Amino acid sequence: QVQLVESGGGLVQAGGSLRLSCAASGSISSITAMSWYRQAPGKERELVGTSSGARTNYADSVKGRFAISRDNAKNTVYLQMNSLKPEDTAVYYCTALIQIYSSSATFRYWGQGTQVTVSS
């Protein structure tokens, strides 16, 4: 019943910026953590960054260029990407640890992904 939907991907030139969004919907009681991953063809999925409570953490490859923010009222997490490089080209996925309403259990959900392509 819970869904995560990513949006905001596209084609940009090196040095440009994009802002990705990930909106969660469904019978949500709380979201304890939301993260961004990315995966290029032929490569393993890579953790980009995580937002947990008031804390954010980033992979070394994106520190200083990417920033995660959240709008708790809308159950949405954002990934602001600046100074994009061709090596940032990948499908970007969001994932979240979500507690269902009136449940003590926490489940991990994944979005469908959004393509980001950075040209030289």
Side-chain angles (χ1 to χ4, degrees), residues 51-68:
S51 173
S52 179
R55 299 180 179 180
T56 54
N57 297 284
Y58 303 95
D60 289 340
S61 60
V62 305
K63 284 182 179 177
R65 299 189 297 119
F66 291 10
I68 295 173

Side-chain angles (χ1 to χ4, degrees), residues 3-113:
Q3 296 184 27
L4 299 178
V5 179
E6 302 101 333
S7 62
L11 174 63
V12 298
Q13 288 188 303
S17 298
L18 283 174
R19 190 190 192 196
L20 306 183
S21 299
C22 175
S25 62
S27 301
I28 298 171
S29 176
S30 64
I31 301 176
T32 59
M34 299 188 76
S35 300
W36 287 96
Y37 284 76
R38 65 185 182 185
Q39 187 170 25
K43 297 183 179 180
E44 294 186 346
R45 188 167 296 184
E46 173 190 21
L47 176 64
V48 175
T50 297
S51 173
S52 179
R55 299 180 179 180
T56 54
N57 297 284
Y58 303 95
D60 289 340
S61 60
V62 305
K63 284 182 179 177
R65 299 189 297 119
F66 291 10
I68 295 173
S69 61
R70 291 203 292 185
D71 184 339
N72 292 327
K74 296 182 178 180
N75 288 329
T76 300
V77 64
Y78 304 93
L79 180 65
Q80 179 67 47
M81 304 185 293
N82 300 320
S83 301
L84 283 162
K85 305 174 181 179
E87 51 262 43
D88 294 319
T89 296
V91 177
Y92 283 71
Y93 299 89
C94 68
T95 184
L97 298 176
I98 298 176
Q99 185 178 63
I100 305 302
Y101 185 73
S102 298
S103 174
S104 62
T106 299
F107 302 91
R108 186 179 183 92
Y109 294 88
W110 288 89
Q112 298 177 183

